[in-house]
Amino acid sequence: MPLKHHFEMMAAYNHWMNAKVYTASARLPEKEKHADKGAFFGSVFGTLNHLLVADTIWLKRFADHPAGFLALDAVRPLPHPDSLTEPVHARFDDLQRARFAMDDIIIALATEATDDAYAQTLTYANRAGEVFTNSYGELMQHVVNHQTHHRGQVTTLLSQAGIDVGVTDLVAMVREHRPV
């Protein structure tokens, strides 16, 4: 499978799953969304916020890719988060709108990128100022995997609160969106 197809599928999967997670999370009372349950980022809200912060950081790095992706024009002017826990929005509805806008950007980026672009390297500095060089494909894989990792934590928190997110399997999304 070409990387382009893989990342188009993963961008669609992340959007599909984010919609399911936000729909399920909306059923929690506001206080419960923010309640520290001992997850890496404390609460359902804190974890969802972290995902948006991390995606912003990574997409701002991707904006420096030699391909100059037009899909990232909306990300370039965004402020660079100061920390992985920086509150992006105080209200759940605002966080959800920002998440779906970010998902649209990621889908557009996956649509725009080519296999050649995924093979190119990207040099970036982490939060500590350490400089790394990886292929863009490796970094994009990290972004989609990172979302999956932390969404798993959110689905666990929701399950503990008695809320079922439903089917989360990639193959279910593929079947649901496959033309007949």
Side-chain angles (χ1 to χ4, degrees):
M1 169 188 311
L3 286 179
K4 177 173 181 54
H5 176 74
H6 170 72
F7 289 120
E8 287 172 340
M9 180 177 62
M10 293 310 299
Y13 173 72
N14 278 334
H15 174 68
W16 182 75
M17 276 305 306
N18 286 334
K20 290 170 75 84
V21 164
Y22 272 87
T23 297
S25 297
R27 294 173 45 201
L28 281 175
E30 196 64 27
K31 185 176 180 178
E32 283 299 306
K33 286 182 188 88
H34 292 271
D36 189 339
K37 300 292 184 178
F40 290 167
F41 294 93
S43 64
V44 166
F45 191 92
T47 304
L48 294 174
N49 180 79
H50 165 71
L51 282 171
L52 188 59
V53 167
D55 284 352
T56 301
I57 290 169
W58 279 107
L59 292 186
K60 287 185 77 60
R61 289 172 181 162
F62 294 170
D64 291 335
H65 189 285
F69 300 116
L70 295 177
L72 297 178
D73 283 353
V75 173
R76 287 181 178 92
L78 293 176
H80 199 288
D82 290 326
S83 76
L84 295 174
T85 58
E86 181 176 317
V88 180
H89 295 284
R91 296 187 31 183
F92 180 78
D93 291 348
D94 295 333
L95 187 66
Q96 181 174 351
R97 272 191 290 284
R99 171 75 268 161
F100 293 161
M102 185 66 73
D103 286 351
D104 289 344
I105 292 168
I106 293 170
I107 289 168
L109 176 60
T111 301
E112 181 180 353
T114 63
D115 282 337
D116 287 342
Y118 288 118
Q120 288 181 308
T121 59
L122 187 65
T123 300
Y124 64 95
N126 68 8
R127 311 257 342 122
E130 300 168 300
V131 176
F132 298 93
T133 300
N134 293 87
S135 77
Y136 170 57
E138 292 168 340
L139 298 173
M140 186 65 158
Q141 185 61 40
H142 168 73
V143 169
V144 297
N145 187 65
H146 182 257
Q147 280 199 39
T148 300
H149 167 68
H150 286 297
R151 268 195 318 267
Q153 294 169 346
V154 173
T155 60
T156 297
L157 295 174
L158 291 169
S159 178
Q160 290 170 350
I163 298 175
D164 182 13
V165 173
V167 176
T168 62
D169 295 333
L170 171 65
V171 71
M173 188 272 312
V174 170
R175 286 185 193 128
E176 185 178 302
H177 290 72
R178 182 179 293 144
V180 282

